[in-house]
Amino acid sequence: QLIADALVEGRPPEVTDRLDDASWRRVMRVNLDGTFHVLRAAVRVMRPAGAGAIVVIGSSSAFDTPVGYPHYSASKAGVHALSQAVAKEVIASGIRVNVVAPGPTETGMAARTPAALRSGFADPRVRPYATPGEIADIALFLASDAAANLVGAVLLANGGRFTA
């Protein structure tokens, strides 16, 4: 709400100096620590089998860092780096790790985004918010044999908002 209020009032958001340790750690625990735990569990199952494909959900926010979300952007950049490091390690065991990095997507979290922020994401030159199904299609592709040559890739799925 701090960010939305600042946009409505025409002033820059002031987030970093107000961001408490608990909020920082919560985002890191959910996004980065959670990804580590899932990757580790998947590798433990797939390595003995000598094959597998893991698709991690990152975020375009790791590249196009939105103002007011330093903790989210940092956590997702960490997710990308973690996934790429694990991808290099486990490819020798026949396991592929790749990342889909969505931009704005119609999720429960997006539904709670204040209108002032949602309108900031609206851009007539690009596709609107992705649907969960569109992001799932990309994840399914990354998990499929059609993506057999993709290892450590981060696929931007942001509707043309930017390229990296």
Side-chain angles (χ1 to χ4, degrees):
Q1 191 60 44
L2 290 173
I3 301 161
D5 291 345
L7 287 173
V8 168
E9 295 167 13
R11 59 179 172 77
E14 298 170 351
V15 174
T16 302
D17 54 338
R18 297 177 185 196
L19 188 59
D20 60 56
D21 290 352
S23 297
W24 172 269
R25 283 301 324 142
R26 180 182 177 280
V27 170
M28 291 298 164
R29 274 194 315 274
V30 169
N31 293 341
L32 186 54
D33 297 351
T35 298
F36 166 72
H37 292 292
V38 170
L39 277 167
R40 182 177 61 188
V43 169
R44 285 177 175 170
V45 170
M46 292 176 182
R47 198 184 301 266
I54 301 168
V55 180
V56 173
I57 304 299
S59 175
S60 291
S61 292
F63 299 102
D64 185 33
T65 55
V67 173
Y69 295 93
H71 48 334
Y72 182 80
S73 296
S75 71
K76 289 301 189 171
V79 164
H80 296 180
L82 169 65
S83 299
Q84 289 176 318
V86 172
K88 287 181 179 181
E89 173 194 338
V90 301
I91 189 57
S93 297
I95 304 166
R96 293 183 304 104
V97 178
N98 290 294
V99 178
V100 58
T105 304
E106 286 296 349
T107 64
M109 185 167 58
R112 294 187 306 270
T113 302
L117 289 178
R118 280 185 72 92
S119 67
F121 289 129
D123 184 338
R125 299 167 297 169
V126 300
R127 293 196 67 236
Y129 276 51
T131 67
E134 290 170 331
I135 302 306
D137 287 343
I138 296 165
L140 289 171
F141 164 71
L142 287 172
S144 76
D145 290 341
N149 202 40
L150 290 176
V151 177
V154 177
L155 294 187
L156 294 174
N158 62 30
R161 284 171 173 73
F162 67 91
T163 59

